[in-house]
Each structure stands twice: as structure tokens, then as C-alpha cells.
Amino acid sequence: MAKEKPSNHAHYVSADQLRIGLYVHVDLPWFRHPFTLNSFRIASAEQVRALRALGEPRFRYDPQRSTVAPDAGADAGTDPAPAAEVAAGPADVPAPPGDEPAPTPAEALSGKRQRVLLLNDHRRRLGQVNRSFLKSAMLLRNLNRNLMSDPEATLHEIGALVEQMVAAFLEHPAVTLHLMGEECGGDDIYSHSLNVTVLAMMLAKGLDFPPEQARVLGLGALLHDIGLMDVPDRLLKMRPDEYTRPERDLRAMHCEFGLHIGRQLGLPADILSVIFQHHEMVNGSGYPRGIGGDKMTPPARVVSLVNYYERLCNPADPTQGITPHEALSFLFGQKRGKFDAVALQRLIRCLGVYPPGSIVTLSNDATAVVMSVNPARPLRPWVMVYDESVPREEAILLDLERETDINIAGAVRPAMLPPAVIAYLSPGRRMVYFFDSEARPDSKGNA
């Protein structure tokens, strides 16, 4: 990992002058020190002792992010003299209880080695999930080409994908929802259908759908936009604000087109209902018929909700997209009357307040993006931390379920961040989710 280059105006303190409240930078590769991040505000005497155990004579510190000033002996100027020439001041920490020695470097790094093992395992899992997503997306890209010419084989492949999701979400105790990398952005229509299906299947478990109803939900979600096959390509490539009224009405007819195609394929009535009703709302304000929730099937109510959520995050015009955190807040605060109340509550509970793709600040002042969430423990997700000293491809990933001293402090609007931070944390052009149900390793890295 790249080592951060200190500024010409960096401020330093000697190791003896470290104290609680100083915001310090550890200018060592991440794997060579025991701390969760490369920069942080010192919060305990244990952290002071661990910093000293590194054997570094001095540390950079940030006066603006520190809550205390250095001791009188601290050199607050620039380009300081070597640590041996800096006058020592008393450390603002209590003495270790009894004769307890400071941790040795080997002892201090033992916890970091476990973090590295878990991080490597998580990266391996992400690689597997990426490959599974790309394989599934390829299947959907072939949908237009093969569905009408060889419907039986194509529907069989789609059914196999749904069976995989039913088994993962309904039969495994824990399923992890991941934010996919930039290479998985894919085509809008296919990524959208896959996103909707993954989110719908996540809700199937939360809503206690039996396996057969979950299969209907999965097939309906994958095929919900099948009617777009009969919408001219030029309309599909246009932004909504570019439509004339007739063009907008034509695009809205994809629900009827989908029903017609589904009947040609011999799809059962419960799947046709999802295709036809996925733009209906429980308060009757949707289309194409404006029916109320009592006339919508349960799978259609779920697809209506997750389809709307997905389009908030990934609209046709990418510049109009909002973060997943903002999307959930908007749904609950302004649109909850349009959707099934139980399904919306379950969506929020499964995704957490900060779904994958949300930009957040952490309790240690770091900025991060939520990368993976276990619906059973949504408030303690995996996050990827912005650190300018670490290349993005090697970015620090933290499992907040294990990093119990760090919490999410709040969400951040990307527009409020510097461009470099946005570029580092951005998942890409589209917010794409996929899942895995692999056994979670324990704290020792065992499956």
C-alpha cells in the first residue's frame, strides 16, 4: 500500500508527547500497525501505548481535528527537528495498572493479522459474487435474443436462476447483500431487472413467503420489464424529461406489452400479474389501471416497491440519482402511502438505515461507503473507508460488527464531498446489488 506523503506544513509530536485527543497519522503501511485506520483521534491510554510500541520517534498530527493541544514541549511548527531534539513533555494518559507492560509490536500486530485474514476472505467472497452477478447478467442480456426464438430453454435458464435465489434467501440463515464494483454496472435494463429481483427475494424471506410464492416473485421480478422489448430503442435511450406526451404514454404501455408477450409464452397468471401490476400503487395512484392494493397480488406489491426504490437510486438520467439512504428516507417520509406498509418496513429493516451504496461518516471522523450488509444485522455493515494514502484497489474494508468501537455517525450527501473522495468511494455509474450465502468466518478466520 502506498505511503502517504506528509505535507511540507505537517505538524509533529514525539512519541512521548502523545495524548488522548490528538488526531494522529500513522505513516506506516496499514498491515504494519495494529490500528483500524491509518489516521484517527486517540481515544484511550491503550492506543497511546500501542502507538509508542511501534517504535516510531514521532507522529504527524492534525491540529484542526484534534480536541486538545499538544503539551508545551510539542513542536507545533513545520518541518520539525528530529525527535531526539524535541523537548519531552508528560503524556496525558494514566500509567498502566500495576506492572502491566506496554504491548510489544508483535502483540500489537496480532489483532491486525486477524483483520487481514478476514479482509482477504471478504475480498475473495466479493470476487465470487462479482462472477456470479456477471453470469446472471449475461443470462438476462440473452433474454431478448432467445426468449421468442427458444422460449422453453430460456425460461428454464431463468427458472434455474430463480431457484438459486430461493435456496439462498429462504434456506440459509444469513444472506449478505453486496454493492457490486464498477465493472458490474452493465446495461440499464438488465442491471435494473437483476437489482429488483435480488431486493424482492430478500423481502420474500422477511415477509415469510413460502417457496412457491417466492418463485413466482422471483420470476415476475426478473421478467417485470419484458414489455420494453416492444418499446422502440430510441425511447429507451432517452431521459424522461425529453419525452413528448405521446412518447411517455407509449413507454408506459410496456405493462400491457409485457402482459401480451407473457401470454404468448404461456406464463402462468400469477407471474403475468406481477408483469402487469409492477407500476400500480396500493393507494390506486399507479398505472396502467390505477387499481388499489387489495386488487394487487402480494408479489406485485413487493415488485412495485423495490422497482420504485431501484429507480430512485438508478434513474434513466444518472445525474438525478440519489443515495440509497436518501431513497429509503424519501420512500418512508413522502411516499409510504403508495406502497404496502409491511413490505416497506421490512425493506428498511433488511437494508438498514444505511443500505449498500450509502456514503457515511464514522464515529472516528472517517468517510466511507457501505459495501455489504447482512439483513439479519443491518446496522453493522461492511464499509470501505476513504484514505488518500491507500490505493482504491487496496482500500481498507471494515466489518463494523467486529469493529465494535466504530459506529456510523450519519449519512453524507455526495455533493458535499470533495471530488477526490467521491471518485474514491463511488461504486460506478449504477448502484448494483448482488448476494451470497456463504458461511461467515469467525473471528479467527474459520468458516
Side-chain angles (χ1 to χ4, degrees):
M1 295 184 181
K3 184 174 178 180
E4 185 176 358
K5 296 179 180 179
S7 163
N8 291 333
H9 302 289
H11 296 73
Y12 290 81
V13 291
S14 70
D16 289 338
Q17 294 168 314
L18 294 171
R19 59 184 298 197
I20 294 173
L22 286 180
Y23 192 97
V24 296
H25 299 267
V26 182
D27 292 323
L28 293 170
W30 182 74
F31 55 85
R32 286 186 54 197
H33 64 75
F35 301 102
T36 304
L37 299 175
N38 290 334
S39 56
F40 56 93
R41 186 180 297 113
I42 301 175
S44 68
E46 288 74 15
Q47 288 182 340
V48 172
R49 291 197 292 272
L51 282 165
R52 289 173 178 163
L54 295 176
E56 295 293 299
R58 64 182 187 178
F59 292 87
R60 281 191 304 128
Y61 80 97
D62 186 338
Q64 294 184 335
R65 301 174 77 175
S66 298
T67 58
V68 297
D71 292 319
D75 182 358
T78 61
D79 195 17
E85 299 176 18
V86 178
D92 188 25
V93 296
D99 295 326
E100 180 184 343
T104 66
E107 291 170 337
L109 283 171
S110 63
K112 176 57 69 72
R113 294 192 185 100
Q114 296 303 325
R115 284 193 181 107
V116 171
L117 288 175
L118 292 172
L119 179 57
N120 290 341
D121 180 80
H122 193 69
R123 291 191 190 280
R124 177 186 62 80
R125 292 173 65 189
L126 284 177
Q128 293 175 338
V129 175
N130 279 5
R131 289 189 291 273
S132 295
F133 174 88
L134 292 171
K135 181 178 179 180
S136 301
M138 182 62 68
L139 170 63
L140 293 186
R141 289 189 187 98
N142 292 333
L143 185 67
N144 282 4
R145 185 187 313 140
N146 301 330
L147 188 56
M148 303 310 295
S149 61
D150 192 359
E152 183 175 352
T154 305
L155 290 174
H156 177 76
E157 289 185 79
I158 293 173
L161 175 59
V162 170
E163 286 294 337
Q164 176 193 357
M165 294 188 184
V166 170
F169 282 96
L170 269 62
E171 297 176 10
H172 288 79
V175 178
T176 302
L177 193 66
H178 300 278
L179 181 69
M180 294 290 91
E182 187 171 4
E183 71 276 10
C184 293
D187 298 305
D188 174 70
I189 294 174
Y190 309 117
S191 296
H192 169 72
S193 295
L194 205 49
N195 258 359
V196 167
T197 306
V198 169
L199 293 169
M201 297 305 290
M202 179 187 71
L203 290 187
K205 180 175 184 177
L207 295 171
D208 297 322
F209 275 25
E212 185 53 42
Q213 194 173 37
R215 292 185 187 96
V216 170
L217 175 61
L219 285 168
L222 273 175
L223 298 172
H224 76 277
D225 270 340
I226 194 175
L228 293 177
M229 293 168 60
D230 284 351
V231 175
D233 284 345
R234 66 175 185 83
L235 290 187
L236 299 180
K237 295 176 181 178
M238 291 170 60
R239 298 194 313 268
D241 60 345
E242 297 175 328
Y243 287 147
T244 64
R245 179 60 181 270
E247 288 171 336
R248 185 175 295 108
D249 291 343
L250 177 58
R251 195 185 196 284
M253 288 183 67
H254 73 277
C255 298
E256 285 95 336
F257 297 157
L259 179 63
H260 177 70
I261 293 172
R263 285 172 173 164
Q264 285 185 304
L265 296 172
L267 296 176
D270 45 10
I271 296 176
L272 294 176
S273 295
V274 177
I275 295 171
F276 188 63
Q277 296 177 359
H278 72 273
H279 279 292
E280 300 286 6
M281 307 290 180
V282 297
N283 65 355
S285 63
Y287 68 87
R289 294 289 183 266
I291 61 176
D294 57 334
K295 295 182 180 179
M296 296 174 66
T297 65
R301 290 200 292 269
V302 170
V303 175
S304 170
L305 169 63
V306 296
N307 177 65
Y308 197 94
Y309 166 81
E310 211 281 335
R311 278 305 184 198
L312 288 174
C313 299
N314 294 309
D317 181 359
T319 64
Q320 300 301 310
I322 59 179
T323 68
H325 171 76
E326 291 173 317
L328 281 187
S329 299
F330 177 74
L331 280 173
F332 185 77
Q334 300 186 41
K335 299 294 183 180
R336 63 178 178 268
K338 292 179 175 290
F339 302 103
D340 183 282
V342 176
L344 178 56
Q345 291 171 2
R346 180 57 60 178
L347 180 68
I348 295 171
R349 184 174 300 178
C350 288
L351 290 178
V353 179
Y354 308 105
S358 300
I359 307 295
V360 297
T361 54
L362 304 180
S363 54
N364 58 6
D365 295 332
T367 304
V369 60
V370 177
M371 295 296 294
S372 304
V373 62
N374 185 330
R377 291 178 286 269
L379 296 180
R380 308 297 297 179
W382 280 84
V383 298
M384 183 177 81
V385 180
Y386 171 71
D387 188 329
E388 62 182 358
S389 69
V390 179
R392 189 183 188 278
E393 61 273 13
E394 302 174 8
I396 298 170
L397 298 175
L398 302 180
D399 181 0
L400 296 188
E401 185 177 355
R402 292 188 171 89
E403 305 290 346
T404 55
D405 57 330
I406 299 176
N407 301 300
I408 293 178
V412 181
R413 299 198 66 171
M416 305 298 292
L417 296 172
V421 179
I422 297 174
Y424 192 102
L425 297 178
S426 173
R429 188 176 63 87
R430 292 184 53 78
M431 204 78 64
V432 179
Y433 299 146
F434 210 58
F435 67 95
D436 82 315
S437 54
E438 182 175 326
R440 182 184 177 86
D442 61 26
S443 61
K444 295 181 180 180
N446 301 315

